[in-house]
Amino acid sequence: MKSACYLAWKYTKAHKGRTLILIAALGLLLFLPTAVTLVIRSYDARMGARADATPMIIGAKGNRYDLLLQALFFRDGRTDDVPFGLIERLESDLAFAAKAVPLYARYTTQDAPIVGTDLSAYFDFRGLTIGQGKLPEMMGQAVLGQGAARRLGVTVGDTLTSDRVNLYDLSRTMPLQLNIVGVLGATNSADNEAVFIDVKTAWIIAGHGHGHDPEAHQSQAAHSATVTAIEITPENAASFHFHGDEAELPLSAVLVLPETDKDRTLITSRYNASANYQALRPAQVMDELMGLVLRIKKLFDANTALVGIAVVLLIGLVVALSMKLREAERKTLHKLGCGKWLIVQVQVVELAIVLAGALVIVAAGSAAVMVVSPMLLGV
Amino acid sequence: MIELSDITFAYEQDGFALRAEMLSIAKGEKIAVVGPSGSGKTTLLHLIAGILVPSCGKVQVEGQEVSAMSDKARRRLRLTTMGMVFQGIELIDYLSARENVLLPYRINSARSLDSAAKQRAEELLERVGLQAVSGRAASGLSQGERQRVGICRALVAQPGLVLADEPTSSLDDENAASALDLLIQLVDESGATLVMLTHDKAQLPRFDRVVAVDRGEVSGAVSGATSGGVR
């Protein structure tokens, strides 16, 4: 075996290109399904944990997966809005006891989701703490998840501007400048990548409220023109207001925290029976969603298995051709006194070297996937 | 040293058969085996080496009956007592010249590749003028260089018996003469027995005896200093 190892190593070294191609082919073949499995497991664990930690979501009737992803991970799906008044209706209903946290997450800043909410209630519910700075004290102020702050390269005292919704529609509300007053401690969830503001600030971004610039009033008093403010400052903050009934202002979803299982059942039945709302148990919907993903993964696995068979056959062909090409070498070694199986042993060791190389690729790739996968979806 | 008695060997494919009634080769003798192509010279050499086994008769090397040994024992005998130079040179292309020379140590677990062996390999390579290319892969050597590496490989482990199958047939006259000079010189120095197949009649005086093979029949002629021959 020692001589087989020696010859195999020498052969491999002398044919580096061929060996590296085989290692890369085998490594990729093994890495792809491993990576997919790792990513799915990682997402399953992370998404499952967030869903498990969220007792209930109420949103507009429609696709429940969109609503789930919107409410838990702030992905702006095609869900309709629900009115802010739903919060009060939920909390004041005598049939059950529950707290409700508003969510309005339709906008972004440099692709980071802007989440309008009741900051104290949401942070309490998620167990989030301020790592640096403080909670917002007025409209126009924001607290960032640590990952978002790092990615956007900002910290307390800096500003961010909400992304313009439609570059070509000048009649739309102008982007709002957000003053960063706090950065959250690190979390392992979608909150880490989000920008949190008070729900009223989110409504201003949406154009449901506006302010009157005092300087504009002074200099252009004759016009009494209404100027949309792009920054909310202590000077103009009092001028910001919302027209119409606040209870009709929009939310993308409501996180509901029923006190008991009975309360949850009552709320579920009440809102699922309504024409406009749906109540979700996130863990249940997440299981369904992951079930779909796993079904797709099975197709991918079958495809990988077929490709794997093809690659194994090709490697078999390469080995067979190699043995044919090395027949003279086998005969020479036999004449010198080696066993007939030495070349077979040499090729087995060569395959072991290729396999070891491929496993190194799989290990390195898997480690990279484990590091990168949470960042890819921000879950 | 070597004794073949009443041997017959036949190839199944074409029915060619080799017969030898009696052939004795003493220790330290240099024997040339001559004969036309296809006469059975290589078969005779392979029978002595234990690569082939006669269908009847005995082949003895150093008192051991090769023809009665298992394949494993015959391989062990080749590894421990024989050095072989092949017609087609037959180096391992992906090994360097030095590694090819040291191959008998690498493939024989009974021999240890110590510094003395390495030094001997270097000395042999130096003597054949290949020290400068000793690290080069065999595939990058010329035919003459490859043949000299083959001779060094056959002799590095100081075998008692050197079997050479037309070692100069693929070389030009100049390289052939030089390779043969080297082989005989090194064999003389080591005191090994040499059995060499050749077509070159001009070289026959350099051997103690000449054995002729013709159409499968091994017969002998006396040549050189030592008397004896095929009986």
Side-chain angles (χ1 to χ4, degrees):
Chain A
M1 199 62 192
K2 200 176 161 189
S3 43
C5 291
Y6 169 76
L7 290 171
W9 176 244
K10 287 290 175 184
Y11 183 86
T12 307
K13 261 180 81 180
H15 299 89
K16 287 190 197 84
R18 205 181 303 173
T19 307
L20 287 175
I21 287 170
L22 278 175
I23 287 176
L26 199 60
L28 283 176
L29 177 76
L30 296 174
F31 169 68
L32 286 176
T34 310
V36 169
T37 303
L38 285 174
V39 167
I40 288 176
R41 272 192 200 161
S42 166
Y43 287 170
D44 190 17
R46 285 163 181 273
M47 293 167 85
R50 194 156 171 91
D52 289 344
T54 311
M56 180 174 273
I57 297 165
I58 292 182
K61 273 265 195 278
N63 187 308
R64 54 192 172 157
Y65 302 131
D66 279 346
L67 177 59
L68 181 83
L69 295 175
Q70 219 285 333
L72 295 188
F73 307 108
F74 319 127
R75 304 278 143 192
D76 189 25
R78 292 172 184 169
T79 56
D80 290 336
D81 291 333
V82 292
F84 181 66
L86 179 62
I87 300 283
E88 197 184 338
R89 284 210 294 281
L90 277 161
E91 291 186 335
S92 61
D93 199 312
L94 296 176
F96 45 78
K99 285 185 180 171
V101 180
L103 282 178
Y104 190 50
R106 299 288 192 210
Y107 300 94
T108 55
T109 171
Q110 296 175 51
D111 292 332
I114 296 175
V115 181
T117 185
D118 177 336
L119 291 167
S120 299
Y122 186 81
F123 289 173
D124 279 352
F125 165 59
R126 291 286 185 209
L128 302 173
T129 53
I130 299 287
Q132 186 191 351
K134 58 180 183 179
L135 275 171
E137 290 166 347
M138 58 176 279
M139 286 194 296
Q141 293 182 332
V143 172
L144 272 66
Q146 204 174 86
R150 190 169 47 241
R151 186 174 71 77
L152 301 175
V154 292
T155 187
V156 174
D158 292 338
T159 59
L160 283 170
T161 306
S162 62
D163 294 336
R164 191 184 281 273
V165 178
N166 189 334
L167 279 174
Y168 306 103
D169 184 358
L170 298 178
S171 67
R172 294 294 294 261
T173 313
M174 292 181 74
L176 181 69
Q177 184 173 302
L178 301 170
N179 300 311
I180 301 166
V181 296
V183 175
L184 295 173
T187 63
N188 212 7
S189 69
D191 298 325
N192 206 44
E193 303 298 326
V195 174
F196 292 95
I197 55 176
D198 185 79
V199 69
K200 289 183 177 174
T201 307
W203 288 333
I204 289 169
I205 293 174
H208 297 293
H210 60 256
H212 301 273
D213 192 329
E215 286 182 14
H217 277 290
Q218 284 166 13
S219 60
Q220 301 176 5
H223 292 230
S224 67
T226 300
V227 179
T228 304
I230 59 166
E231 182 183 5
I232 303 172
T233 62
E235 291 75 33
N236 69 10
S239 73
F240 277 83
H241 58 278
F242 302 93
H243 292 280
D245 184 0
E246 192 176 89
E248 292 304 316
L249 289 173
L251 296 177
S252 48
V254 176
L255 299 181
V256 184
L257 319 176
E259 282 189 7
T260 64
D261 283 347
K262 185 183 171 190
D263 295 327
R264 182 159 75 171
T265 306
L266 286 169
I267 296 168
T268 305
S269 57
R270 163 89 58 92
Y271 282 89
N272 279 342
S274 78
N276 302 321
Y277 303 112
Q278 60 176 327
L280 305 181
R281 293 188 181 192
Q284 195 179 337
V285 181
M286 186 62 74
D287 282 349
E288 288 173 26
L289 191 59
M290 291 314 294
L292 282 174
V293 172
L294 290 174
R295 249 181 279 169
I296 292 166
K297 184 182 173 290
K298 277 182 186 167
L299 281 176
F300 178 81
D301 287 346
N303 180 53
T304 305
L306 287 176
V307 174
I309 290 168
V311 171
V312 168
L313 287 174
L314 278 175
I315 288 175
L317 183 66
V318 168
V319 170
L321 289 174
S322 174
M323 285 187 81
K324 201 172 172 64
L325 282 172
R326 294 169 75 178
E327 181 62 14
E329 181 186 336
R330 188 192 68 74
K331 282 182 177 167
T332 302
L333 289 168
H334 183 243
K335 283 182 199 169
L336 288 173
C338 293
K340 287 177 182 172
W341 291 101
L342 181 69
I343 283 292
V344 176
Q345 282 179 10
V346 168
Q347 296 216 297
V348 168
V349 176
E350 284 165 14
L351 279 177
I353 290 170
V354 168
L355 189 63
L359 290 177
V360 168
I361 289 181
V362 173
S366 301
V369 164
M370 294 299 282
V371 172
V372 170
S373 63
M375 298 177 203
L376 289 177
L377 272 187
V379 296
Chain B
M1 173 75 181
I2 301 170
E3 196 166 286
L4 283 74
S5 53
D6 296 323
I7 61 157
T8 301
F9 176 84
Y11 287 100
E12 284 177 10
Q13 302 97 311
D14 56 9
F16 173 84
L18 179 88
R19 276 174 288 276
E21 285 182 12
M22 189 67 186
L23 174 61
S24 290
I25 299 168
K27 190 173 173 62
E29 265 193 308
K30 292 194 288 291
I31 302 293
V33 180
V34 295
S37 295
S39 60
K41 300 188 298 294
T42 300
T43 304
L44 176 65
L45 200 75
H46 285 185
L47 285 167
I48 295 170
I51 295 170
L52 297 175
V53 181
S55 43
C56 63
K58 275 189 198 173
V59 177
Q60 286 189 303
V61 175
E62 289 197 333
Q64 299 180 72
E65 193 178 335
V66 179
S67 47
M69 287 176 173
S70 66
D71 179 61
K72 192 175 175 183
R74 281 184 276 119
R75 283 192 281 111
R76 192 181 302 278
L77 185 71
R78 283 205 293 284
L79 281 171
T80 52
T81 62
M82 298 178 198
M84 300 187 74
V85 187
F86 304 109
Q87 187 175 9
I89 304 171
E90 300 185 19
L91 299 183
I92 306 297
D93 278 343
Y94 54 84
L95 297 181
S96 69
R98 184 188 296 112
E99 288 162 347
N100 265 288
V101 171
L102 288 169
L103 196 59
Y105 286 93
R106 291 284 186 189
I107 59 178
N108 184 1
S109 53
R111 285 192 185 123
S112 66
L113 181 57
D114 53 17
S115 55
K118 287 177 186 169
Q119 195 181 339
R120 179 162 167 76
E122 292 300 331
E123 281 169 10
L124 283 169
L125 285 165
E126 191 178 357
R127 287 191 63 181
V128 301
L130 292 178
Q131 205 177 28
V133 294
S134 61
R136 191 183 294 172
S139 55
L141 299 175
S142 70
Q143 279 293 93
E145 289 170 335
R146 287 169 67 86
Q147 189 57 284
R148 281 180 275 163
V149 171
I151 291 169
C152 292
R153 182 179 68 186
L155 293 162
V156 71
Q158 297 174 293
L161 173 61
V162 177
L163 302 173
D165 185 356
E166 298 188 41
T168 59
S169 64
S170 58
L171 303 179
D172 57 44
D173 289 348
E174 195 182 335
N175 270 318
S178 152
L180 190 61
D181 285 348
L182 183 72
L183 179 62
I184 289 179
Q185 190 184 353
L186 291 171
V187 165
D188 280 344
E189 284 173 16
S190 67
T193 307
L194 172 67
V195 178
M196 187 177 117
L197 315 189
T198 182
H199 279 294
D200 189 354
K201 288 182 179 163
Q203 301 294 342
L204 297 183
R206 307 181 72 172
F207 291 85
D208 299 324
R209 279 195 291 146
V210 176
V211 171
V213 183
D214 189 18
R215 279 175 283 183
E217 294 293 335
V218 179
S219 57
V222 178
S223 165
T226 311
S227 61
V230 176
R231 279 163 271 172

